[in-house]
Amino acid sequence: MRIKLKMKTFNSFVIFRVMPKVVCAALIFSFLLSARLSAQAGQDTASIVYKPNTDDPFRELIFDIPSQFSNQVPENYRHTWHRLSGFEYSGLHWGQFVVVYMNEHSEIYKNNYLEYLRIYEEDEDEDEDEDEDEEGPLFDRYPVGTIFLKENYLSKGGAPGRPSSLTLMIKREPGFDPKYGDWQYIQSHVNGKVEVNGRIHDDKVFTLCGECHESMAERDYIFSTFYMDPTQ
């Protein structure tokens, strides 16, 4: 099985091609809650001027970790965790820029990203490969204790602007939310104040996160659409 690795821009248009159409409607509803959170984030961070270090924009520690999760997420996660992306524009996150980290098992994320590429490429080449046997997606699942951390930045002039919020997905023990992968969803402001915390179908979580992540069950609810090789 060949895998084409082409340079592509994975924006909301591409992602919607592989997501159920219902997600489009979900974004409309979640936008209302996101707008309120962004406004609150603006108030909480109005005094913060984000001027990234141009030599290493990922070295400064600009987000406070919520106190109740400080035993799971170190303050210096930027220096010790796996960074999976650069500043990526995300239409699925209300036109913000995001940076994605995870604590361990980055090889699983990389595999799922490559599977995402393979499926997308096969969809592009389906006419020329009509006689080729199709192979289903080979996505892996994440073990208990896996944590994804997403930094969110408001967009300003087509570039990352002020930090707006921090998002966590924590893989809990079996039974936490068994129908939806046992993930816990948390979103906090730059100052560490928690705004959202719960399971996928809790009201705020579902409106802000769950309605989109629910469609990614085959990838263990993680989109895996951004990836940066840390060795390059």
Side-chain angles (χ1 to χ4, degrees):
M1 177 61 63
R2 58 189 175 86
I3 299 176
K4 296 181 181 179
L5 296 180
K6 296 179 180 178
M7 294 298 295
K8 292 182 179 290
T9 300
F10 292 98
N11 53 25
S12 56
F13 172 76
V14 173
I15 296 173
F16 282 141
R17 296 191 55 188
V18 296
M19 292 173 59
K21 292 182 179 179
V22 69
V23 174
C24 297
L27 290 178
I28 296 175
F29 290 106
S30 63
F31 177 79
L32 298 175
L33 178 58
S34 174
R36 186 173 73 83
L37 294 180
S38 294
Q40 180 65 45
Q43 296 172 8
D44 290 345
T45 64
S47 62
I48 298 176
V49 178
Y50 180 54
K51 296 181 178 180
N53 186 318
T54 55
D55 294 327
D56 186 356
F58 303 104
R59 177 151 296 278
E60 300 171 75
L61 304 174
I62 58 178
F63 291 89
D64 289 340
I65 304 301
S67 58
Q68 58 266 56
F69 300 103
S70 60
N71 63 331
Q72 299 169 278
V73 182
E75 182 181 357
N76 65 340
Y77 68 86
R78 278 187 154 200
H79 305 163
T80 58
W81 283 18
H82 303 279
R83 181 162 57 85
L84 304 174
S85 76
F87 290 96
E88 306 288 349
Y89 178 82
S90 177
L92 286 177
H93 295 95
W94 313 282
Q96 296 186 102
F97 282 84
V98 302
V99 182
V100 182
Y101 294 82
M102 68 183 301
N103 61 337
E104 54 187 352
H105 308 299
S106 60
E107 71 282 357
I108 299 178
Y109 182 92
K110 180 179 179 179
N111 172 78
N112 290 354
Y113 169 78
L114 292 176
E115 278 297 289
Y116 165 77
L117 282 185
R118 181 178 70 83
I119 293 170
Y120 174 71
E121 290 292 346
E122 287 186 351
D123 180 59
E124 289 285 292
D125 298 338
E126 61 182 0
D127 292 334
E128 63 183 73
D129 294 337
E130 285 182 353
D131 297 330
E132 185 176 322
D133 293 336
E134 292 187 6
E135 181 180 346
L138 302 174
F139 294 117
D140 292 330
R141 302 185 73 80
Y142 298 94
V144 172
T146 299
I147 303 176
F148 283 90
L149 182 152
K150 179 168 59 67
E151 300 175 344
N152 305 298
Y153 298 83
L154 301 178
S155 178
K156 182 176 181 180
R162 189 176 62 222
S164 63
S165 61
L166 200 67
T167 305
L168 298 172
M169 286 182 65
I170 303 176
K171 186 78 161 185
R172 294 304 189 185
E173 295 286 343
F176 178 82
D177 192 6
K179 190 176 179 181
Y180 298 101
D182 295 309
W183 289 101
Q184 180 180 7
Y185 297 77
I186 303 102
Q187 182 155 311
S188 62
H189 299 302
V190 179
N191 62 9
K193 178 183 177 183
V194 173
E195 178 70 25
V196 173
N197 180 11
R199 296 167 173 80
I200 194 171
H201 273 277
D202 292 347
D203 288 344
K204 275 190 175 182
V205 174
F206 190 68
T207 302
L208 190 64
C209 310
E211 215 161 355
C212 290
H213 281 270
E214 186 179 38
S215 67
M216 293 290 106
E218 66 178 1
R219 304 184 207 176
D220 201 9
Y221 302 92
I222 301 296
F223 277 89
S224 314
T225 50
F226 300 125
Y227 179 69
M228 179 200 68
D229 188 339
T231 64
Q232 296 182 352

